[in-house]
Structures are given as C-alpha cells and as structure tokens.
C-alpha cells in the first residue's frame, strides 16, 4: 500500500505522526481506493456502523436509568418511558434500532452471498462477519430480556433451556446460566452485564472486519480483481462517503417512521405485561429477526437434533468460502447460481414466516421442507454448481467491462446504469 | 435507483409477514374514529377528561394504575386539567404515608407528586377480592393487548348471553371479543352510569370510547409530542436527503465522463 | 460561466453541511437533557414540615431535594448575637433580618459552601455551626466567619403555610 509514503505537512503533524501514525490512518481511510461501480447494496456496511453506534449511545443512556433487578426492571423501563427527559424517544430508538440493525445485517449478508464477497481472498472478513452476527443475536436476545416483561421472561426460559439438550451436562449448564432453579434475578443481572459488554466486543470485531477488508480491498458487482488505485477506483472520500451518506439518510427515514409512528409494531404486546413465572403467554414468538432459526429448531422433532440443526444453520455459513467451489465471484456471471440464490432468499423468508406460525399441520410440513432445502443449498447445490455451471465470460476491468463479442453485453450495461 | 425498489419490496415483504403474525387473532373488532391515530394524531382533551371520570368512578375500584401520578393529569399532551383541578383531584384521595416520628403510618390527602392510589394492597388481596382473577393494572394495558384500543373498546361493549351449548361457571361471563370468550369481569357499563361534568350523554358506546382514549394516553403519555417530533424529523430528513442527493450528483459528475 | 458553477456548488455543499449540522445538534440534545432532573424528581420540589414540636434552642434537620435543611428555633441570645455583628466584619455581608424573616426561625440549607459537607450544630468559634471537613466556622445566622468557605450557608425558598408548618421549595 502507498500509505507508508504519507508525509504530514506541518512540523507538529510529522512529530505526532512519527509517534502515533493517526494521520497516516486518516489519510489511508480518505484515499482508500474503492471500486467505482459499487452499487447501493454496498452502502449497508456504513449503515451498519451507524446502527452499532446508535445502539451503543442510546444503550449507554438507557443504562443510566434502567435498574437491573427483577422487582424493579419493569418499573424502571416505565419510568424511562414516562418521566425521564426524552426517555421514550431514546428507548424507542434503541428497541427499533435492534430491528433496523438486523434488517441491515441481513441485506449485508445477502449482498455478500450474491456477489461472492466471501470468496478468496476475503474469507477472514466473512468469518469475522459471522462472529459479529452471532454476537448480535446474543446481544439482541439478552437485551430483549431486560424489560422483564412476559416475553422477556419466557423467551429467556425457552432459549436457555436449549442448552438442556446437551447430553449429561445440559441440566447443569442451564442451572449455571440461570444462577438458580429458574430464570430469576441472578439471570437478569448477568444478562444485563453481558448485554452491556457484547456491543463493545462487536465494535472491536468491526474494526478487525474493516481492517481485513482494507487488505484486499472491496469486492465489486462484477466480482473481478481490480488494480488499485486505477481508473477503476475512486478515493473513498468524498465519492463513497457521500453515497453512503445518501443511502444512510434513506435508511434513517424508514427508521424514523418506525420510531415515531409505529414504535411497538415490531415488538410483542405481551412484553408490556410484567413477567409472571406462573403464567406462560399463549404464543411465544421470538423477535422477527430470529424467526428463520426458530423455524429450523421446531421443524426437527428431536430436542437435541433440533438444537444441533439450528446451530448448524448458522455455523454452516462460516464454511461457505469452502463450500462454494466456483471460481467466479459475482452471480452476475453465474446464471444458474443466480436462480438458486433467489430460491434461497425465498426459502429463508418462508422459514421466517412459518417460524411465526404455530408448529402444526401444514406449517410444520413447510418448515421441514424449507429446512431441508436450506441445508441442501449449502451442502449439495453450491459445491456441485461450482463444477457443473457454465459461467458467462467475465470482463477484464470495470472501465472496459466487455470482452469483444461477449454475449453478456446487456447484463454489463444494466449493471453500469445502476451505479449513480 | 432500481435497487431501492428492490430494498423497499423486501422490506415490505419482511414486515408484511410480521404484521400478519401480529394480527393472528381473527375477530373483527368494533371500529371507531380515534383522534390520536395518524401522522398528526392528538388526544381529544374532553374525551380524556371524561375517560378519567369513567376510570375513577367505575374501573378504579378494582383496577390499579400504578405508573400514573396525579401530576400527569395536568401535564401537556394529557387530559390537561388545570393545576388547581389536578391538586383538588389529588387531595380527594387518601394517601398512606409514613412512618412519622413515632414510627406509625398515617394517611393524608394526596399531592400532585403521589402515584394513583391503588384499590388493593397487593396482588393477592386483589385476587382474593375478585374470585381469584387479578384485575390487571391499567397503566400500559392498551399496549399489552394485541388488538390495542380497538380490542378494549370492543371488549367493553362485547357482553352477550352465551350461545347455546356453552355453560359458564359462577362469576364467569361471556364476551364476544375476549380471548376464549370467557371473562371474569362482569359487564360494568350501562347507559347513564356516570353523569358527565360536561353534559355529554353517557351512553355505553360513549363511555367505552372515552375510557379507552384515557387508557391510550395512560399507556403512551408522550404520544402527542412523539407525533409532532416525528413529523419534524421526517421532513428534516427528507430535506437533507435531497441536499445530499444533489451534492452526490455533483461530486460524482467529476468522474462521470470517464465512466 | 465556470465561476458561476463553482459558486453554486459551494452553496450546495455549504447548505448541506449546515442542514446536517442542525440535525446533529438536534440529535445530541436529547442525549444530554436525559441527565437533567426528570419529571418525577421535579415534582418532589417542595416539602412541608411540621415544626410545632421544636422548642427554642433546638434544631431539626429535614431532607429536601436530597439535601439536609436545618430548621433552628433560635434563642433570644442567639438572635441578638446575630444582629449585633457589624457587616464589615463579614466575609459575605448579609443582614440577619434578610436571612431570617421571622427572627425566631432560621431555615437554611445545611450544606457547607466550601465543598458540600454537613456542618455540626452548636460548634465552632461563633456558637453557630462548624464544618468538620475543612474547618469553616459559621455564626448563629449561618454566616461564614472563619475558614475556607466562600459564602454564607444558603437560604432556600420557604414560607410559613400556618404557624406550625413550613413549606420548603
């Protein structure tokens, strides 16, 4: 990289930079050569950073007023909603922010799947991303427990009970997690501690995620390696910054609509009933972003195997760079993969849908088929496709996208026009 | 731009599923026009004041409202009683306080800073007095029921004779809108039950609407400022988005010729 | 022609920055304001105290806004002592009449103006209060006479609701 050559102009800048090269870093970040054909799907990295910062800031503020005690948690949340200055606003941003965070992360993941961003040399970026996603799920789950409503309590009971599926030590682990013989005050306080800790772990991993990204540079919609800097790239600032900013604002409009006009629609009414260990709500449903995995869990009739299936559904993603045997990154040049990709998207949406429905009759059947297909996609279709698929010719660079006589002229043109 | 439509489409798909699942209960609720719905929704002050009257005279003998204080009655965006009215309301309740220097508990007239007086000492006492069923606290009741205001509004008017073939135990009543149709609260409202201070005709429908409006405010006291702030925030975001859009166009035009 | 274009661009960017800055400001304010006293704290701003049992020469301490308030029923000696002090002898000149409207009753915030400790009653060189933390001496009117405290002890807003009841705040 050309960063080493950066020389601060001022004398003090040079003195400082020799000791702590912050200016070199800033210079690297502004000049960072970025493919000029990145489309709007690539703006979700920036949007996710915004989501994380928003959650951390509003979370810190809420923690100043929240009381992590089984007798007082629900009351303190109502205190925030009623009496704390702007407390209602901050809490609604935090609660809906979790949903927006997951919405963005799903788009980010599916963008990566479409354009093959997980493939060499970006495997480490991808795996760090999966770890971040796991931590997000843990943080979201524990955060949902904190208001100590009925869904908090019973969600915590159900999820922690998953560990009891582990043979021999399972029951012991669950008791250890609870700090008692049921979900109670000790559980709440430790969940609060971890909920406070995890976002900072995520923040650290995000730094690694970006660091790892800046080594090979961004993938791009046509998935080819590009020379950088070259006429295929633009400096990150101002080109990508302003584009990310524009997309972020669009995202914030949607976000604001939820916060100000339908702040409770993504939550569950039962969570406004204080936790009662004697009464289970009629339908226990996790938050929407966990529904696909919940559907996989319920589609397996065996307790242990259900948990195994659910966890495998997540961990299988970490093996994706090696399961996908195709040399071509972008689905733009993989006509068959492109179709399977959309089937997978539909499959996950269906899983989400049946996850919210009662696990019986037709729903259960659909859930089983969709679960089977999910694993089929990653374990069979992707490896085989890499050998069998006849891919389209790929261009040599972004600025000269078409090899002479290439049949995918139309495709390449379309892709071009979708950049600003 | 095409991508945005795709994003919007996926968004609506995902949230569409969510909405479906929330509306899982299939009963058609009674409909009425709520003044607090919509982008600029506000509470109807007189409905809130009447609703408070219904709550105090009818509901409060069994249902607590532990998160509300008498000062809330005078706050902006609520029933907006005058400060002196709210003080008088507070003073009309006996509040338990103490201990005093002798270590005894004593009662005194309520102050603005006091919470609404509870009808029962604790949940067990409430259950004992109501045949084992705990009359739920009403502070956030509207938000704690899937159907929200429409559900409460319908429930209050949903008492019927049970259909043939359904037998009810002692102290259990039939309600068209209740989950499972069996409710332990008897029908409370009848025409002319309260005498409204503002002369409004106290029909069952009117009282249901008023008290439901009051409960909505109780559950969401900052609803009005939320709507106002939301409108400003979204208008602001749209303006900034437009500005950023044109700035972006301009910045990218520097290289567009080469694309 | 090209100059005009530059101007317009500058205006566009300036406007974008300015509007963006307004939004950032508006977003930061709620995060700051949430730390101010909330609605339930503000509602507790006043307290009524029954003083019918306080005899001359006695002090009671009540809690108001989380701080101690001294209510002292002063003896005739103390009142005279407080009134006889010359204003020029005082570090923070205030007349006793201004501090105790009803000379029999001294109502003041029992917080040393140095660094916030609670002074001890009937101690110190001036028969008033003495702060053990850093040695500030107050007289029978709660005025600073010796030591590091810069000002007299503060008099809160209060009124007699009736002969036996004081409302603080």
């Amino acid at each position: 990289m050309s960063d080493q050559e950066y020389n601060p102009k001022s004398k003090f800048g040079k003195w400082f930079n020799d000791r702590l090269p912050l200016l070199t870093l800033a210079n690297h970040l502004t000049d960072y050569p970025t493919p000029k054909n990145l489309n709007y799907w690539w703006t979700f990295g920036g949007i996710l950073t915004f989501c994380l910062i928003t959650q951390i800031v509003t979370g810190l503020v809420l923690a100043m007023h929240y009381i992590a005690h089984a007798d007082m948690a629900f009351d303190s949340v109502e205190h925030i909603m009623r009496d704390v200055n702007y407390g209602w606003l901050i809490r609604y941003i935090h609660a809906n922010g979790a949903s927006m965070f997951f919405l963005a992360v799903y788009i980010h993941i599916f963008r990566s799947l479409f354009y093959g961003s997980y493939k060499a040399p970006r495997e480490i970026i991808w795996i760090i991303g999966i770890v971040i996603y796991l931590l997000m799920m843990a943080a979201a789950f524990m955060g949902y427990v904190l208001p100590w409503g009925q869904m908090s309590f019973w969600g915590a009971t159900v999820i922690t009970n998953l560990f009891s599926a582990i043979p021999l030590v399972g029951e012991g682990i669950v008791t250890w997690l609870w700090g008692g013989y049921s979900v109670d005050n000790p559980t709440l306080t430790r969940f609060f501690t971890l909920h406070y800790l995890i976002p900072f772990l995520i923040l650290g991993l995000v730094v690694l995620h970006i660091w790892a990204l800046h080594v090979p540079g961004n993938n791009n919609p046509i998935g080819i390696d590009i020379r950088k800097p070259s006429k295929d790239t633009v400096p990150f600032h101002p080109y990508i910054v302003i584009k990310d900013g524009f997309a972020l604002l669009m995202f914030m409009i949607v976000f604001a609509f939820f916060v100000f006009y339908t702040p409770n629609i993504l939550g569950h009414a039962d969570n406004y009933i204080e936790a009662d260990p004697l009464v289970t709500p009629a339908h226990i449903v996790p938050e929407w972003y966990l529904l696909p995995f919940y559907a996989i869990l319920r589609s397996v009739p065996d307790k242990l195997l259900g948990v195994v299936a659910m966890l495998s559904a997540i961990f299988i993603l970490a093996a994706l760079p090696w399961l996908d045997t195709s040399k071509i990154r972008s689905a733009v040049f993989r006509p068959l993969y492109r179709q399977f990709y959309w089937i997978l998207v539909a499959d996950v949406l269906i899983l989400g849908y049946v996850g919210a429905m009662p696990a019986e009759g037709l729903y259960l059947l659909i859930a089983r088929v969709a679960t089977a297909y999910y694993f089929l996609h990653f374990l069979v279709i992707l490896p085989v496709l890499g050998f069998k698929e006849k891919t389209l010719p790929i261009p040599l660079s972004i600025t000269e996208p078409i090899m002479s006589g290439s049949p995918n002229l139309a495709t390449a043109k379309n892709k071009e026009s979708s950049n600003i | 731009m095409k991508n945005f439509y795709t994003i919007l489409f996926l968004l609506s798909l995902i949230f569409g599923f969510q909405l479906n699942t929330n509306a899982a209960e299939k009963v058609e609720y009674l409909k009425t026009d709520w003044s607090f719905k919509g982008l600029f929704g506000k509470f109807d002050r007189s409905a809130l004041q009447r609703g408070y009257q219904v709550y105090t005279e009818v509901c409060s003998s069994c249902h607590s409202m532990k998160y509300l204080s008498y000062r809330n009655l005078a706050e902006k965006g609520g029933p907006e009683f005058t400060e002196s009215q709210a003080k008088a309301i507070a003073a009309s309740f006996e509040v338990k306080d103490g201990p005093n220097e002798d270590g005894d508990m004593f009662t005194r007239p309520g102050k603005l800073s006091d919470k609404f007086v509870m009808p029962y000492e604790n949940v067990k006492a409430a259950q004992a007095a109501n045949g084992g069923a705990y009359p739920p606290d009403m502070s956030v009741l509207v938000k704690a029921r899937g159907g929200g205001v429409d559900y409460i509004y319908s429930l209050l008017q949903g008492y019927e004779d049970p259909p043939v073939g359904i037998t009810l135990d002692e102290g259990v009543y039939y309600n068209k809108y209740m989950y499972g149709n069996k409710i332990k609260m008897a029908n409370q409202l009848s025409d002319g039950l309260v005498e409204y201070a503002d002369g409004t005709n106290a029909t069952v429908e009117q009282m249901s609407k008023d008290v439901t409006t009051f409960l909505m405010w109780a559950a969401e006291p900052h609803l009005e400022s939320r709507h106002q702030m939301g409108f400003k925030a979204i208008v602001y975001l749209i303006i900034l988005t437009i500005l950023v859009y044109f700035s972006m166009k301009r910045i990218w035009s520097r290289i567009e010729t080469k694309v | 022609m090209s100059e005009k274009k530059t101007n317009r661009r500058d205006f566009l960017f300036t406007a974008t920055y300015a509007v963006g800055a307004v939004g950032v400001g508006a977003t930061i304010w709620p995060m700051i304001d949430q730390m101010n006293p909330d609605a339930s704290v503000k509602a507790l701003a006043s307290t009524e105290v029954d003083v019918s049992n306080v005899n001359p020469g006695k002090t009671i301490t009540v809690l108001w806004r989380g701080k101690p308030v001294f209510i002292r029923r002063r003896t005739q000696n103390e009142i005279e002592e407080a009134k006889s002090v010359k204003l020029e002898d005082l570090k923070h000149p205030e007349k006793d009449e201004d501090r105790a409207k009803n000379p029999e009753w001294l109502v003041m915030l029992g917080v040393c103006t140095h660094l916030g400790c609670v002074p001890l009653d009937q101690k110190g060189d001036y028969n008033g209060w003495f702060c053990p933390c850093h040695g500030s001496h107050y007289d029978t009117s709660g005025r600073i006479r010796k030591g590091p405290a810069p000002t007299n002890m503060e008099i809160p807003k209060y009124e007699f609701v009736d002969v036996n009841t004081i409302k603080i705040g």
Side-chain angles (χ1 to χ4, degrees):
Chain A
M1 274 187 269
S2 60
D3 298 337
Q4 269 69 27
E5 293 143 31
Y6 175 72
N7 260 316
K9 285 193 185 65
S10 75
K11 223 172 164 188
F12 174 73
K14 193 172 170 354
W15 178 87
F16 186 87
N17 204 50
D18 286 346
R19 283 149 184 82
L20 179 66
L22 273 187
L23 294 171
T24 303
L25 177 67
N27 177 259
H28 162 76
L29 291 177
T30 41
D31 283 358
Y32 173 64
T34 318
K36 63 157 76 163
N37 64 337
L38 296 187
N39 57 33
Y40 281 104
W41 298 111
W42 260 267
T43 60
F44 281 88
I47 288 172
L48 283 163
T49 314
F50 163 80
C51 289
L52 178 62
I53 303 293
T54 305
Q55 290 306 86
I56 289 180
V57 171
T58 54
L60 284 175
V61 166
L62 289 172
M64 295 181 190
H65 304 281
Y66 172 78
I67 300 168
H69 187 285
D71 295 340
M72 285 178 272
F74 194 85
D75 290 5
S76 70
V77 170
E78 276 307 310
H79 170 68
I80 290 169
M81 292 297 288
R82 288 162 193 277
D83 289 336
V84 173
N85 304 320
Y86 298 104
W88 60 270
L89 174 66
I90 295 161
R91 173 165 178 258
Y92 277 153
I93 291 177
H94 197 72
N96 285 283
S99 280
M100 300 313 286
F101 204 159
F102 274 96
L103 176 69
V105 91
Y106 282 126
I107 294 174
H108 194 63
I109 292 172
F110 275 104
R111 188 270 290 153
S112 192
L113 291 181
F114 189 84
Y115 294 110
S117 303
Y118 49 83
K119 290 188 199 183
R122 298 186 180 83
E123 301 95 321
I124 299 292
I125 312 175
W126 172 255
I127 288 171
I128 293 173
I130 297 298
V131 177
I132 292 174
Y133 175 52
L134 275 171
L135 286 176
M136 276 175 65
M137 288 201 277
F141 159 66
M142 291 186 201
Y144 198 58
V145 174
L146 302 186
W148 211 239
Q150 275 287 65
M151 276 292 156
S152 302
F153 183 88
W154 291 101
T157 303
V158 168
I159 300 292
T160 47
N161 261 317
L162 291 179
F163 290 91
S164 70
I166 304 168
L168 302 175
V169 292
E171 292 294 337
I173 290 178
V174 173
T175 312
W176 173 75
L177 280 175
W178 287 342
Y181 301 104
S182 67
V183 173
D184 207 337
N185 196 47
T187 326
L188 177 61
T189 45
R190 67 191 58 178
F191 276 20
F192 178 60
T193 311
L194 294 173
H195 182 71
Y196 207 123
L197 168 71
I198 290 175
F200 296 97
L201 297 181
I202 294 178
L203 188 63
L205 285 168
V206 165
V207 171
L208 294 184
H209 195 62
I210 295 172
W211 186 2
L213 169 71
H214 281 226
V215 175
N218 284 70
N219 185 26
N220 63 80
I222 56 176
I224 56 164
D225 291 319
I226 49 171
R227 285 166 294 121
K228 43 169 204 165
S230 71
K231 55 185 175 170
D232 282 353
T233 66
V234 290
F236 190 77
H237 181 79
Y239 295 95
I240 303 299
V241 169
I242 188 90
K243 191 170 174 176
D244 279 1
F246 172 63
L248 174 62
L249 283 163
M250 301 281 279
F251 182 81
M252 284 167 79
I253 292 174
V254 178
F255 194 164
F257 185 82
F258 277 106
V259 167
F260 290 107
Y261 289 107
T262 57
N264 291 309
I265 201 159
L266 297 171
H268 198 292
D270 280 334
N271 224 27
Y272 279 104
I273 303 171
E274 198 168 352
D276 182 351
L278 298 176
V279 186
T280 307
H283 312 282
I284 291 203
V285 190
E287 294 286 84
W288 68 267
Y289 40 79
L290 301 175
L291 286 173
F293 300 106
Y294 192 58
I296 292 175
L297 169 77
R298 294 193 306 180
S299 69
V300 181
D302 181 80
K303 185 173 176 181
L304 177 61
L305 291 181
V307 177
V308 169
M310 185 182 71
L311 293 177
S312 316
I314 303 168
F315 285 110
I316 204 169
L317 292 172
L320 185 58
W322 297 276
L323 288 171
D324 184 350
T325 50
S326 174
K327 294 275 181 291
I328 308 293
R329 289 198 192 97
S330 173
V332 171
F333 305 105
R334 301 182 61 190
L336 269 177
Y337 172 71
R338 201 153 68 218
Q339 291 173 25
F340 284 114
Y341 170 85
W342 287 112
I343 296 175
L344 179 74
V345 172
D347 188 61
V348 172
L349 288 176
I350 289 169
L351 278 171
Y353 179 71
V354 294
M357 292 294 142
E360 56 197 27
L362 186 62
Y363 292 128
L364 193 56
L365 182 68
I366 296 173
R368 286 184 176 156
V369 174
T371 301
Y373 182 80
Y374 182 90
F375 287 103
L376 191 73
H377 176 92
F378 289 106
L379 293 176
V380 181
I381 295 174
L382 279 188
V384 173
L385 213 53
F387 299 113
K388 299 282 178 195
E389 189 176 26
K390 195 172 169 339
T391 56
L392 304 175
I394 55 168
L396 295 171
S397 85
I398 297 169
T399 35
E400 300 143 32
I402 321 300
M403 293 170 75
S404 52
S406 160
N408 66 325
L409 190 101
T411 329
K413 266 262 145 60
N414 267 337
K415 279 288 125 192
E416 279 289 285
S417 62
S418 67
N419 319 320
I420 301 199
Chain B
M1 281 316 264
K2 207 175 62 188
N3 285 326
F4 273 119
Y5 294 114
T6 326
I7 295 177
L8 282 181
F9 172 73
L10 285 176
L11 250 175
S12 57
L13 215 64
I14 292 166
F15 291 124
F17 280 141
Q18 181 72 13
L19 301 191
N20 271 340
T21 57
N22 282 356
E25 275 143 51
K26 289 284 181 284
V27 215
E28 270 294 309
Y29 296 127
L30 298 176
K31 291 274 180 271
T32 185
D33 51 322
W34 300 110
S35 64
F36 48 82
K37 297 245 157 140
L39 288 192
F40 304 102
K42 280 182 173 194
F43 290 113
D44 173 354
R45 305 275 164 248
S46 41
L48 283 180
Q49 299 197 353
R50 288 194 300 269
Y52 172 69
Q53 192 184 345
V54 177
Y55 167 72
T56 339
E57 291 180 19
V58 185
C59 321
S60 70
S61 52
C62 300
H63 291 276
S64 59
M65 260 186 148
K66 59 179 174 178
Y67 297 120
L68 271 83
S69 304
Y70 295 110
R71 66 186 157 84
N72 296 135
L73 294 172
E75 275 166 11
K76 208 171 162 290
E80 296 190 4
F81 286 106
T82 62
E83 176 117 2
S84 50
Q85 280 175 321
K87 271 186 180 155
I89 290 172
S92 69
F93 292 92
E94 287 279 293
V95 175
K96 201 169 185 184
D97 201 351
N100 61 13
E101 286 100 83
D102 305 325
D104 298 325
M105 300 305 278
F106 58 94
T107 57
R108 57 163 175 80
K111 293 189 287 193
L112 283 183
S113 56
D114 287 321
K115 298 264 181 208
F116 277 23
V117 173
M118 310 259 271
Y120 302 104
E121 287 273 305
N122 49 51
V123 174
K124 286 268 183 270
Q127 283 171 332
N130 289 281
Y134 169 58
D137 184 86
M138 280 184 160
S139 316
V140 280
L141 190 68
V142 169
K143 289 200 278 186
R145 295 292 178 273
V149 278
D150 291 327
Y151 168 75
I152 307 278
Y153 176 70
S154 306
L155 183 102
L156 288 170
Q157 302 173 66
Y159 285 90
E160 279 180 353
D161 290 330
V164 189
I166 291 187
T167 47
L168 298 171
D169 294 335
E170 177 74 29
V172 178
Y173 307 89
Y174 187 86
N175 191 304
K176 215 165 33 157
Y177 301 104
M178 177 76 184
Y179 186 74
N181 296 122
K182 288 178 183 169
I183 185 166
K184 287 208 167 175
M185 175 175 82
N187 188 6
Q188 298 294 326
L189 299 178
S190 57
D191 286 339
L193 180 69
V194 300
E195 198 173 315
Y196 278 138
D198 64 0
T200 308
N201 191 10
T203 60
V204 169
E205 199 188 335
Q206 183 70 42
M207 287 185 286
S208 308
K209 190 173 173 183
D210 290 343
V211 81
T212 309
T213 307
F214 176 72
L215 291 180
M216 182 69 221
W217 166 74
E220 197 68 15
H222 298 291
L223 179 137
E224 284 188 15
S225 40
R226 194 181 81 217
H227 284 175
Q228 283 159 10
M229 197 188 292
F231 182 72
K232 283 183 211 153
I234 289 174
V235 167
Y236 166 81
L237 283 172
I238 290 172
I239 291 171
L240 185 60
T241 309
I242 292 169
L243 281 172
V244 168
Y245 177 76
F246 284 111
S247 299
M248 177 176 73
K249 280 282 176 201
R250 210 166 270 285
I251 288 171
W252 278 78
S253 71
R254 293 174 197 164
I255 57 159
E256 205 150 12
T257 47
K258 286 180 242 152
V259 174
Chain C
M1 198 49 202
S2 69
E3 199 167 277
K4 207 172 168 188
K5 209 175 166 185
T6 321
N7 279 340
R8 215 169 74 199
R9 174 188 303 174
D10 286 346
F11 173 73
L12 179 62
F13 292 159
T14 313
T16 310
Y17 276 124
V19 174
V22 169
V24 172
T27 316
I28 287 175
W29 173 242
M31 305 296 156
I32 294 170
D33 191 36
Q34 52 86 19
M35 280 168 72
N36 276 321
D38 66 46
S40 61
V41 173
K42 284 183 201 149
L44 293 173
S46 73
T47 288
E48 286 182 9
V49 189
D50 178 10
V51 292
S52 54
N53 294 330
V54 184
N55 296 321
K58 288 272 174 257
T59 305
I60 59 165
T61 308
V62 294
L63 200 65
W64 175 67
R65 286 187 175 173
K67 289 178 190 159
V69 171
F70 294 151
I71 300 176
R72 179 160 181 86
R73 189 166 185 178
R74 298 191 291 186
T75 59
Q76 207 54 44
N77 283 348
E78 288 172 345
I79 298 171
E80 271 154 30
E81 195 179 334
K83 291 202 166 166
S84 63
V85 179
K86 292 197 196 94
L87 276 190
E88 51 267 34
D89 293 344
L90 293 172
K91 192 174 182 179
H92 177 196
E94 269 185 317
K95 284 192 198 141
D96 187 57
E97 296 92 291
D98 295 338
R99 292 178 58 82
K101 291 270 178 318
N102 175 352
E104 201 180 354
W105 294 97
L106 178 66
V107 179
M108 72 181 174
L109 223 49
V111 177
C112 176
T113 56
H114 181 220
L115 291 170
C117 297
V118 178
L120 303 170
D121 198 7
Q122 301 284 283
K123 289 265 163 62
D125 299 351
Y126 298 89
N127 302 323
W129 284 266
F130 170 70
C131 181
C133 289
H134 307 98
S136 292
H137 299 257
Y138 296 89
D139 65 15
T140 55
S141 186
R143 292 174 295 200
I144 178 67
R145 300 299 289 274
K146 200 167 114 185
T151 57
N152 304 336
M153 281 194 267
E154 199 185 323
I155 306 292
K157 198 179 143 221
Y158 69 91
E159 60 184 5
F160 278 86
V161 180
D162 56 55
V163 191
N164 287 325
T165 315
I166 297 176
K167 185 184 170 201
I168 306 170

